[in-house]
Amino acid sequence: MSPRAAWRLESLGFTKVFHYVAGKADWSASGLPLEGRLASLPTAGGVARRGVLTCRLTDRVGEVRERMATVGDSACVVLNDEGIVMGRLRQKDLNADAEATAESVMESGPTTVRPDLPLADIVERMQRRGVGSVLVTTPDGRLSGILYRRHAEARLTEMENEGAPEEK
C-alpha cells in the first residue's frame, strides 16, 4: 500500500497499518495473508507441510542420517546460516561417508515454488513431470515448507467433492 493510503487508514482509526514497500505481488509470493476473492483459492503454501527436517551445509551425513531415521523423514532441506535453501538431501544421498558434509553430497539448488502458486497449477506440473514433492520458499529463498503431490491432489479432490451436488 502507498504511504498516502497508510496515513489515510491511520486517520480513520486503524492502528496496525504497514507500508509494505516490496508490493502486493511480493506480499502474496511470501505467503502472507490475503483478502478478497483470491484469498479463498488453494495455494502451494496453504497445503505445504511445515516443520520440515533441516540441516546446515556443514552437518555430517552420519548425523543427518540418524536424524532422518529418528523422525521418519525421507529428505532433509539444507539451509545456510541465514535460513536460505541451499539444497536437499534425499535418502539416496545418505549412502555417502558418514563424515562427509551435507554440502558435499546434497542436490544443489533444488526446484522451488512460491507459496502463492495456485494449487491446481502446481499439481498439474508435478503430474506432468512425475514429481512427488517440491520445496516451497519465499522470494528471498526462505523455506516455507514442502508440498507433497499426494496431499495437494487430495486437497483438490476434497474441494471438488465439496462443490459437487449431493446425491439423492
Side-chain angles (χ1 to χ4, degrees), residues 97-157:
D97 176 38
E99 292 301 310
T101 62
E103 181 177 23
S104 69
V105 299
M106 71 182 187
E107 167 196 355
S108 260
T111 299
T112 63
V113 298
R114 299 290 172 260
D116 66 334
L117 186 68
L119 194 59
D121 292 352
I122 188 59
V123 165
E124 187 272 328
R125 186 168 31 172
M126 291 171 83
Q127 289 170 338
R128 191 174 62 245
R129 295 180 181 169
V131 174
S133 66
V134 66
L135 299 177
V136 181
T137 62
T138 62
D140 63 355
R142 293 188 190 284
L143 181 65
S144 292
I146 186 165
L147 179 66
Y148 291 98
R149 188 175 86 194
R150 68 181 185 275
H151 296 155
E153 289 170 336
R155 178 66 180 123
L156 290 175
T157 299

Side-chain angles (χ1 to χ4, degrees), residues 1 4-18:
M1 119 179 359
R4 187 174 60 132
W7 283 111
R8 179 64 179 132
L9 287 172
E10 283 188 6
S11 75
L12 293 171
F14 290 90
T15 57
K16 292 186 177 183
V17 178
F18 302 92

Side-chain angles (χ1 to χ4, degrees), residues 58-132:
T58 56
D59 286 357
R60 301 287 174 211
V61 169
E63 297 165 0
V64 176
R65 185 184 308 134
E66 286 178 24
R67 288 195 316 213
M68 286 173 64
T70 300
V71 299
D73 268 342
S74 60
C76 183
V77 181
V78 184
L79 307 177
N80 69 7
D81 292 337
E82 286 74 41
I84 306 300
V85 173
M86 296 284 107
R88 176 172 33 192
L89 284 175
R90 296 181 193 251
Q91 202 70 42
K92 64 181 172 79
D93 301 318
L94 300 179
N95 295 329
D97 176 38
E99 292 301 310
T101 62
E103 181 177 23
S104 69
V105 299
M106 71 182 187
E107 167 196 355
S108 260
T111 299
T112 63
V113 298
R114 299 290 172 260
D116 66 334
L117 186 68
L119 194 59
D121 292 352
I122 188 59
V123 165
E124 187 272 328
R125 186 168 31 172
M126 291 171 83
Q127 289 170 338
R128 191 174 62 245
R129 295 180 181 169
V131 174

